[in-house]
Amino acid sequence: MLRKIRLTLAVLFFMAVTALFLDFTGTIHTWLGWTAQIQFLPALLALNVGVVIGLVLLTLLVGRVYCSVICPLGVMQDIVSWISGLRKKKKYRFSYSSEKKWLRYGVLGLFIIAMVAGVGSFVALLAPYSSYGRIASNLFAPLYQWGNNLLAYYAERAGSYAFYETEVWMKSLPTFVVAALTFIIIGVLAWRNGRTYCNTICPVGTILGLFSRFSLFRPVFDAKKCKNCSLCSRRCKAACIDYKNRSIDYSRCVACMDCIDTCKHGALHLQYRWKKADKPAQATTPGQVDNARRSFLSATAVLAATSVIKAQEKKVDGGLAVIEDKKIPERATPIVPPGAQSLSNMAHHCTACQLCVSVCPNGVLRPSTKLETLMQPEASYERGYCRPECTRCSEVCPAGAILKITAADKSAIQIGHAVWVKKNCVPLTDGVECGNCARHCPAGAIQMVPSDPDMDDSPRIPVVNTERCIGCGACENLCPARPFSAIYVEGHERHRII
């Protein structure tokens, strides 16, 4: 029963967190966004003391339930391990192995040093929730979106508009490669040895393992009933049960309850820590073991509700010719979203989980390719601009890297300023009137003035009022110049209120 309850909760949490990264409608976060906020590392970085204390108390009560129920990377490993166990004679394929303390605590030490030093790229590589986020947003989300587009294609031909197409594009090749390698490495380890990653590399697992040593309720052996059949040890994907000595390494036990469900002699049960243990009896010889009863839950996909379609700028010129794609300008300072406050705050708090990138409806955010901020979000305006009414990224960030703001707050936050590039400006290069940047500037920070002050009829060029510009990128995105815009946004190291 305990195992079935754990499986049910694990499947529900896994589906909920996965849905956050697959959702392109903006509806699921309203209901399920809390599942990202209760992840251990994001809560710690966001100084969400209540969540951190709650997870620690949960671990002190029943062990590392977080790892087997709440953590999506842990549940993903269980799914891979379960599929591997369906193979003939592979259900009981595990064996006890001693703890690799030097590796566990060595990685934890490096992780803490990287966090203090602000080396976000190293922290992002090891953080379990962030690793799963990258896998979901880079590998699972495209498949989900292609499936949606296929449904939209057939629905439209059937006269239904219950589905609508969404653009699928690669936001960052380095992040995609990291996500793919992470999935392959962790998947292979889970396929062969179950929870190897959780109990040797994962820093969150090591931290919670320190508390789970003292958990009040834990699986224990009943020496009188144990037959030394070894089924519990061969079923333990955490490799933490030494059946010969009838001992369990509680720092590595993930409280999956598989051992209790597997034991046919009732020799393993959940027990209060301070209960007096029975006196050990002599070990008996292994007897004939009946085939273990198998129980499992199969997860189904979450179907997101249909929402209102956001209008997108077309990529054709009057339907006659394809417009050349814009290229990313060289920015001296990266642009980070409103609410991030500064590049420093982003570097120290962001775990590069890609949740903000996944939910950005305008294609503005994408993972950084710079080594020092690898996979952390940056803004760029080739596909869209940061609309003043949109605060989606600040609503979903669980780590405090992007603080929650309102639309009114956003209109007064300057994340950068526009810079005019004379050699690319259409009125000067083609001799035609333009003014797109000034017409679409939501802050009214751009005015068109004669290029020659002494000639009122000279081509009009933009002048930027940097005190009013908020760096939204509307001017850069809507500038008709190709491949580089005639006006682009330089980021600010520290945001300011205007």
Side-chain angles (χ1 to χ4, degrees):
M1 177 60 71
L2 291 174
R3 178 174 177 267
K4 290 181 178 179
I5 293 173
R6 194 270 304 175
L7 280 173
T8 302
L9 292 175
V11 168
L12 291 175
F13 267 99
F14 183 76
M15 292 170 63
V17 175
T18 303
L20 297 181
F21 292 93
L22 303 186
D23 177 38
F24 54 84
T25 65
T27 57
I28 291 180
H29 287 271
T30 304
W31 303 100
L32 301 178
W34 60 272
T35 57
Q37 295 171 358
I38 64 171
Q39 302 299 322
F40 186 85
L41 185 60
L44 185 65
L45 292 174
L47 299 179
N48 196 335
V49 179
V51 171
V52 174
I53 292 177
L55 292 177
V56 170
L57 291 177
L58 179 64
T59 306
L60 288 172
L61 183 64
V62 287
R64 286 171 56 182
V65 170
Y66 171 85
C67 299
S68 59
V69 174
I70 300 175
C71 177
L73 190 68
V75 179
M76 186 191 80
Q77 292 175 76
D78 284 348
I79 294 173
V80 173
S81 179
W82 171 72
I83 295 173
S84 176
L86 295 178
R87 297 176 297 164
K88 188 176 181 181
K89 297 181 180 180
K90 293 296 182 179
K91 184 175 182 179
Y92 301 100
R93 66 190 186 281
F94 305 116
S95 62
Y96 172 76
S97 62
S98 57
E99 179 186 11
K100 306 293 189 295
K101 287 187 177 181
W102 64 271
L103 182 57
R104 293 184 75 189
Y105 296 107
V107 171
L108 177 60
L110 291 175
F111 184 80
I112 293 174
I113 292 172
M115 284 184 62
V116 174
V119 185
S121 54
F122 183 78
V123 172
L125 285 174
L126 296 180
Y129 164 74
S130 301
S131 296
Y132 180 77
R134 288 190 294 273
I135 291 171
S137 61
N138 287 276
L139 304 183
F140 300 163
L143 297 177
Y144 177 79
Q145 291 171 325
W146 281 325
N148 169 82
N149 291 348
L150 184 63
L151 288 174
Y153 175 83
Y154 286 110
E156 183 180 352
R157 276 147 186 77
S160 170
Y161 293 92
F163 300 91
Y164 62 92
E165 290 190 8
T166 180
E167 186 178 11
V168 183
W169 59 288
M170 184 181 293
K171 299 176 178 66
S172 169
L173 179 59
T175 301
F176 176 83
V177 172
V178 169
L181 288 176
T182 302
F183 179 72
I184 292 171
I185 293 171
I186 294 180
V188 170
L189 289 175
W191 183 270
R192 294 170 58 93
N193 300 309
R195 287 294 191 112
T196 300
Y197 177 83
C198 292
N199 287 332
T200 55
I201 301 297
C202 179
V204 173
T206 303
I207 292 173
L208 294 180
L210 295 173
F211 295 102
S212 66
R213 294 178 188 271
F214 309 102
S215 58
L216 294 180
F217 292 93
R218 52 176 64 178
V220 295
F221 278 96
D222 185 336
K224 294 179 180 179
K225 296 180 180 180
C226 182
K227 307 299 181 183
N228 282 357
C229 67
S230 78
L231 281 181
C232 57
S233 180
R234 289 189 285 133
R235 185 70 187 277
C236 178
K237 53 181 171 281
C240 66
I241 299 180
D242 183 0
Y243 78 96
K244 293 180 180 179
N245 296 311
R246 293 168 185 163
S247 65
I248 299 174
D249 183 353
Y250 295 110
S251 73
R252 291 185 292 153
C253 175
V254 294
C256 66
M257 309 302 172
D258 285 354
C259 56
I260 296 177
D261 185 73
T262 299
C263 182
K264 299 306 174 183
H265 307 290
L268 277 165
H269 60 278
L270 200 66
Q271 181 176 296
Y272 181 60
R273 183 184 180 194
W274 302 114
K275 182 180 178 180
K276 292 183 179 179
D278 295 331
K279 294 182 180 179
Q282 283 187 333
T284 58
T285 56
Q288 186 70 24
V289 181
D290 295 329
N291 290 330
R293 179 170 46 93
R294 186 172 58 194
S295 64
F296 63 89
L297 295 175
S298 58
T300 58
V302 175
L303 182 61
T306 309
S307 66
V308 179
I309 302 175
K310 286 262 187 186
Q312 300 292 329
E313 283 76 25
K314 300 298 181 182
K315 295 301 179 183
V316 294
D317 180 11
L320 301 177
V322 177
I323 299 176
E324 183 181 1
D325 288 337
K326 284 180 178 282
K327 293 185 178 180
I328 302 175
E330 289 289 336
R331 306 184 202 274
T333 305
I335 309 169
V336 292
Q341 296 186 323
S342 66
L343 298 183
S344 176
N345 182 73
M346 176 65 75
H348 282 83
H349 287 82
C350 180
T351 63
C353 71
Q354 310 302 304
L355 189 53
C356 59
V357 176
S358 298
V359 303
C360 180
N362 304 309
V364 169
L365 295 181
R366 69 279 312 271
S368 169
T369 58
K370 301 180 180 66
L371 183 61
E372 61 274 16
T373 57
L374 186 65
M375 300 181 293
Q376 294 184 354
E378 290 182 357
S380 197
Y381 303 125
E382 295 72 56
R383 291 177 171 269
Y385 64 92
C386 194
R387 297 179 183 270
E389 72 277 7
C390 177
T391 58
R392 192 80 61 80
C393 58
S394 76
E395 294 168 358
V396 303
C397 178
I402 308 174
L403 301 181
K404 192 169 183 177
I405 59 173
T406 65
D409 295 330
K410 182 177 179 179
S411 64
I413 298 175
Q414 187 181 64
I415 63 175
H417 66 276
V419 178
W420 179 56
V421 183
K422 180 179 180 180
K423 64 179 181 180
N424 296 338
C425 197
V426 170
L428 299 181
T429 59
D430 297 352
V432 296
E433 292 185 5
C434 182
N436 246 18
C437 53
R439 282 194 299 273
H440 293 94
C441 177
I446 303 176
Q447 290 185 336
M448 302 299 292
V449 300
S451 56
D452 187 344
D454 298 327
M455 297 179 60
D456 290 338
D457 58 347
S458 62
R460 303 179 77 80
I461 58 174
V463 173
V464 180
N465 182 346
T466 56
E467 293 300 314
R468 296 188 63 176
C469 178
I470 59 175
C472 69
C475 55
E476 179 179 332
N477 174 250
L478 299 175
C479 176
R482 294 294 191 277
F484 291 102
S485 295
I487 193 166
Y488 75 99
V489 178
E490 273 291 350
H492 287 177
E493 289 192 9
R494 181 176 294 277
H495 298 172
R496 72 184 186 93
I497 305 298
I498 59 173

